[in-house]
Amino acid sequence: MGRFYVTTPIYYVNDVPHLGTAYTTIVADALRRFHLLQGDETFMLTGTDEHGLKIERQAKEQHLDPKAFTDKISARFMEAWPKLDIFPDRFIRTTDADHEAFVAELWKKIEANGDLYEGEYEGWYCVGCESLKTDKELEPGNLCPLHKTPVERVKEKSYFFRLEKWQKPLLDFYGRHPDFIRPESRRNEVLSFVESGLKDLSVSRTSFTWGIPVPGNPKHVMYVWFDALANYLTALNHGSLSRFWAPSGKVVHLVGKDILRFHAVFWPAFLLSAGYTEEQIPQVVFAHGFLTIDGQKMGKALRNAVDPLKIAHELGADVLRYHLLRAIAFGQDGDFDHAALIERYNADLGKNLGNLLSRVLGLCTKLANGKVPVFGERTALEDELFSRVKADLAMVRSAWESIEPHRALETTFAISSAANTYVDRAAPWAAAKTDPARAHTILAALLEVLAALSVAIWPAMPNKSNTMRAQLGLPPVEPRVGEDAFPTELGSLLKPGAPLAPAGPLFQTFDKNGTKAMVDKLVPRVEIPKTADNKTTESTDIEVSTTIAYDDFAKIDLRVGLVKSAERVPKKDKLLRLTMDLGEPSPRTLVAGLALSFQPAELVGRKVLVVANLAPRDFGSADFGSGKEKLVSHGMLLASGPSEDLRLATIDGDAAPGAKLK
Ligand code: ME8
């Protein structure tokens, strides 16, 4: 018996659960279930990451106190996972009192060891990543390569963590623990990052307050990643739960590749600095790839997120779980496509496994009175089947053990294919005519394989496992600590004479029309792009608009505009007043509904697309501090998206302010 502790990242509450976050959480649950099957003692942790500038800003935009805001979104995560048959042992929130207390203790330990000092930092900060970026990392236009949004210049007093000091110990540690970072390609990336030199890390902020106060200096709040990473220890900081931590437990952190550096560099450095030994560093940080839609990372930033709960509602959580675990090689990116989901469902679940079950149970009803038949003399056919299945089961086990769910399921379904081939070759319906005992042996062999499969699919499809087992006359899988229930041998999983209980198909397949109807049901409806003055708000299917003549289009004077200055409009939450250079002798004033998506400073210096000949639009008046001023927009800036997440229309390359678009 072993101990297995698996964690997911704690998710930022700036987003609700989507297929990307569901993916990591499903893998964690499946791994945990596999370990339960083996008789291991397990602990699974997930939760929400609730502090930091990103969350503070989002709460403000929604006119909510940050705690009220995080309560609202965190609940969405907590409620989502059970709907996908995921039952973590703890759902942690970084606003939990035990976490705040634990992080303060960790800080004090690191401080006492001399690894924190006060200083000032200046640099580019991506609020989406909650991380500083070097000039080298930025994309043209000062964009974060991950979020495609402009970074912000920050300069403030801060505590620094002596990360540089840990460069050598980290490299030594990686050398001694080659499995710490997986997969291999990611390990190499981290190694070359660390080898290229580490800089001390800013670990506190003074320009906002939504964070855990620094012990002894409450003007500072802790950097959100310092706070967040500690969650993995907070959860076990309760009595005997510490037994799940390394080395007495096997600790596996599952993370997306976007956050590997935090887990593989900063986290072990914090631990070593706080006095943990090398053996007390987690055994594995596994960085998986991104779920993409048409090659783009799925998520809020790109507004292409797929709702896992909708798929689970229509097709069952098992189907979604199976698809994600099987279709994507764990560690690599995978493009998600609803039609491919249905295709795999039909092929693997319906035609392969589902068909095997109903075929075998149908034959048992016909040829064996609906009972488990007696296993008679084995022929070469059964020997071949059993030795193949035995070898495959061993491979399934080792694939789960080595965190390769796609391989585990591929082999599981290869067993089902082998059994389907065996039915055709052994032809029990023919044998029944001349040698009923032989037909019974064939069916008994098949039932053994099905019984083994009903357990092997449990980590991925716990519900279908139960349904399958009920039809086989078996109780649901109920793992017990210390008992290895993962099947290794065939021959005595079922009792001869026990009643079988065939029911409807395990998976109802979809024909061509059914597939189309289901895909239509699942595919998210798309929002009509909006203009920055926020006129269109309805969410509906994209419609093709009526065409216009070129002459009509030519009437629109589209130009490149350079934002010279930007300021909020007092008492108008959504509006910004911009001064724009449109290549004219004097700048123009534009008023635009951008304030929920952008800080004024982020816009200054950006080149955007403007409708220059729109009739002036009156926005009333506002007091900017020296009495009421008229608020009139002389043109319109182009953007797309909902008002709280707008994307600006910009121009490629170097275009001068005032350049016309044609
Ligand atoms: O990074 N494909 O939180 P986060 C696959 N709070 N996985 C995806 C994904 C996609 N398209 N999108 C998200 C944070 N994920 C921090 C973590 S941990 C101490 C702090 C998954 O809400 C993936 O696991 O941005 C990724 O690492 C995680 O969600 C990021 O979640």
Side-chain angles (χ1 to χ4, degrees):
M1 185 200 80
R3 289 195 191 100
F4 181 72
Y5 177 37
V6 63
T7 69
T8 74
I10 44 172
Y11 303 112
Y12 284 129
V13 289
N14 69 320
D15 206 348
V16 294
H18 61 71
L19 206 60
T21 40
Y23 177 54
T24 324
T25 320
I26 286 171
V27 177
D29 179 77
L31 289 176
R32 176 285 239 294
R33 284 177 187 270
F34 164 72
H35 279 271
L36 282 172
L37 270 186
Q38 287 207 125
D40 291 342
E41 214 190 350
T42 69
F43 196 94
M44 174 182 165
L45 180 70
T46 188
T48 43
D49 191 355
E50 306 187 4
H51 291 123
L53 185 56
K54 173 156 68 176
I55 306 304
E56 186 180 90
R57 276 191 189 160
Q58 190 134 2
K60 211 177 259 171
E61 280 164 13
Q62 299 201 8
H63 307 288
L64 286 173
D65 156 73
K67 183 65 171 59
F69 171 72
T70 59
D71 285 349
K72 191 175 82 169
I73 310 287
S74 180
R76 297 278 297 269
F77 282 89
M78 208 183 295
E79 287 156 13
W81 304 140
K83 294 183 183 148
L84 301 178
D85 284 313
I86 300 167
F87 303 98
D89 294 283
R90 162 105 188 245
F91 183 99
I92 196 166
R93 302 181 54 187
T94 50
T95 49
D96 287 342
D98 66 336
H99 177 69
E100 300 199 347
F102 181 80
V103 178
E105 287 311 308
L106 190 72
W107 179 282
K108 283 192 228 157
K109 276 189 197 158
I110 292 178
E111 190 169 41
N113 287 341
D115 279 350
L116 292 175
Y117 63 91
E118 284 187 76
E120 189 176 63
Y121 78 87
E122 180 170 7
W124 298 110
Y125 194 79
C126 170
V127 182
C129 294
E130 290 283 16
S131 169
L132 281 168
K133 301 275 161 185
T134 59
D135 287 318
K136 241 175 40 200
E137 285 172 305
L138 298 181
E139 286 186 355
N142 275 359
L143 301 185
C144 162
L146 256 178
H147 291 88
K148 312 288 177 204
T149 47
V151 290
E152 295 176 21
R153 193 78 192 160
V154 284
K155 183 176 179 200
E156 63 187 302
K157 285 200 177 347
S158 166
Y159 280 90
F160 283 84
F161 170 72
R162 293 191 196 281
L163 186 60
E164 194 186 334
K165 164 179 154 186
W166 294 99
Q167 177 180 359
K168 170 107 184 21
L170 281 174
L171 288 170
D172 292 346
F173 169 74
Y174 301 144
R176 281 192 283 266
H177 297 85
D179 280 339
F180 173 60
I181 302 164
R182 291 190 48 208
E184 176 98 25
S185 54
R186 299 276 164 224
R187 172 183 149 82
N188 295 337
E189 273 172 32
V190 172
L191 252 58
S192 51
F193 170 72
V194 177
E195 275 159 2
S196 72
L198 293 176
K199 284 209 182 82
D200 288 353
L201 180 71
S202 157
V203 285
S204 75
R205 305 286 308 261
T206 43
S207 56
F208 64 91
T209 54
W210 181 237
I212 300 181
V214 164
N217 194 350
K219 277 200 192 111
H220 290 249
V221 291
M222 290 180 202
Y223 173 43
V224 63
W225 273 101
F226 183 92
D227 158 0
L229 287 162
N231 91 88
Y232 302 128
L233 271 173
T234 304
L236 300 186
N237 190 36
H238 294 274
S240 64
L241 285 184
S242 59
R243 69 189 185 279
F244 285 102
W245 194 254
S248 79
K250 177 166 180 178
V251 182
V252 174
H253 293 317
L254 303 181
V255 300
K257 63 183 182 183
D258 49 338
I259 57 171
L260 175 60
R261 199 175 285 179
F262 299 96
H263 286 80
V265 182
F266 300 172
W267 181 223
F270 293 159
L271 288 171
L272 289 171
S273 166
Y276 289 80
T277 63
E278 268 193 18
E279 282 57 50
Q280 292 171 312
I281 291 179
Q283 286 85 344
V284 179
V285 175
F286 199 116
H288 64 72
F290 287 153
L291 252 70
T292 58
I293 293 267
D294 299 328
Q296 297 258 47
K297 183 190 175 203
M298 184 187 298
K300 176 169 175 147
L302 299 170
R303 301 206 63 73
N304 58 0
V306 170
D307 180 4
L309 301 184
K310 189 166 170 188
I311 300 176
H313 179 72
E314 295 297 340
L315 294 168
D318 293 83
V319 175
L320 174 69
R321 292 170 60 108
Y322 173 73
H323 183 80
L324 293 178
L325 291 164
R326 169 69 186 89
I328 302 156
F330 197 58
Q332 286 168 28
D333 289 350
D335 212 45
F336 181 81
D337 177 76
H338 288 89
L341 165 77
I342 307 288
E343 213 172 283
R344 186 177 290 285
Y345 168 92
N346 273 338
D348 295 4
L349 302 180
K351 298 208 172 98
N352 187 349
L353 181 65
N355 219 14
L356 178 70
L357 180 72
S358 52
R359 223 174 152 193
V360 172
L361 290 180
L363 286 166
C364 288
T365 307
K366 230 157 111 190
L367 308 176
N369 292 327
K371 298 209 165 88
V372 178
V374 174
F375 206 130
E377 206 172 312
R378 266 160 74 156
T379 69
L381 275 184
E382 288 72 55
D383 285 345
E384 198 186 307
L385 176 71
F386 277 20
S387 65
R388 154 97 202 252
V389 172
K390 206 175 138 178
D392 280 354
L393 285 171
M395 272 168 62
V396 173
R397 186 196 283 265
S398 85
W400 280 116
E401 251 163 9
S402 58
I403 318 182
E404 296 175 288
H406 57 289
R407 230 168 43 79
L409 289 172
E410 184 187 19
T411 312
T412 304
F413 279 72
I415 296 176
S416 179
S417 304
N420 270 316
T421 309
Y422 165 82
V423 194
D424 294 335
R425 285 174 69 194
W429 48 88
K433 290 185 191 139
T434 53
D435 185 355
R438 171 74 195 136
H440 285 181
T441 299
I442 297 167
L443 293 177
L446 285 161
L447 287 171
E448 284 292 312
V449 176
L450 281 165
L453 282 173
S454 74
V455 182
I457 65 166
W458 188 75
M461 295 189 283
N463 276 306
K464 289 295 175 182
S465 158
N466 287 348
T467 314
M468 201 174 157
R469 291 176 67 79
Q471 296 200 25
L472 293 169
L474 292 168
V477 167
E478 265 175 27
R480 285 196 187 82
V481 173
E483 269 178 39
D484 187 351
F486 196 85
T488 41
E489 292 289 342
L490 301 184
S492 54
L493 297 173
L494 288 149
K495 279 201 190 74
L500 298 163
L506 196 56
F507 300 96
Q508 194 86 50
T509 52
F510 294 98
D511 62 11
K512 217 167 154 201
N513 287 338
T515 302
K516 191 178 171 312
M518 182 49 81
V519 170
D520 283 348
K521 217 183 228 182
L522 293 176
V523 170
R525 292 154 79 79
V526 184
E527 287 187 5
I528 281 193
K530 272 185 298 186
T531 55
D533 66 355
N534 216 9
K535 277 192 180 150
T536 328
T537 50
E538 268 165 81
S539 171
T540 165
D541 288 331
I542 281 189
E543 287 163 16
V544 180
S545 39
T546 48
T547 56
I548 56 165
Y550 180 79
D551 286 347
D552 288 330
F553 167 70
K555 287 182 198 152
I556 305 171
D557 186 6
L558 285 172
R559 284 170 193 258
V560 175
L562 171 69
V563 182
K564 304 287 286 180
S565 71
E567 63 190 324
R568 289 189 187 280
V569 179
K571 301 206 173 131
K572 305 221 185 222
D573 288 344
K574 289 189 178 171
L575 297 183
L576 292 184
R577 183 167 75 171
L578 312 170
T579 326
M580 306 279 307
D581 180 357
L582 290 182
E584 299 161 321
S586 54
R588 292 193 191 198
T589 301
L590 257 74
V591 180
L594 300 172
L596 297 185
S597 298
F598 299 97
Q599 296 296 316
E602 283 175 71
L603 295 172
V604 177
R606 293 199 66 183
K607 284 184 184 155
V608 295
L609 302 186
V610 174
V611 183
N613 60 343
L614 199 70
R617 185 164 170 215
D618 193 346
F619 283 87
S621 57
D623 185 349
F624 287 85
S626 48
K628 286 223 160 184
E629 282 179 59
K630 289 282 293 164
L631 209 53
V632 178
S633 188
H634 298 275
M636 186 178 78
L637 202 140
L638 296 179
S640 166
S643 48
E644 73 282 4
D645 198 18
L646 282 164
R647 309 280 127 176
L648 294 174
T650 56
I651 184 114
D652 196 10
D654 216 352
K660 279 190 89 145
L661 273 91
K662 45 192 173 194

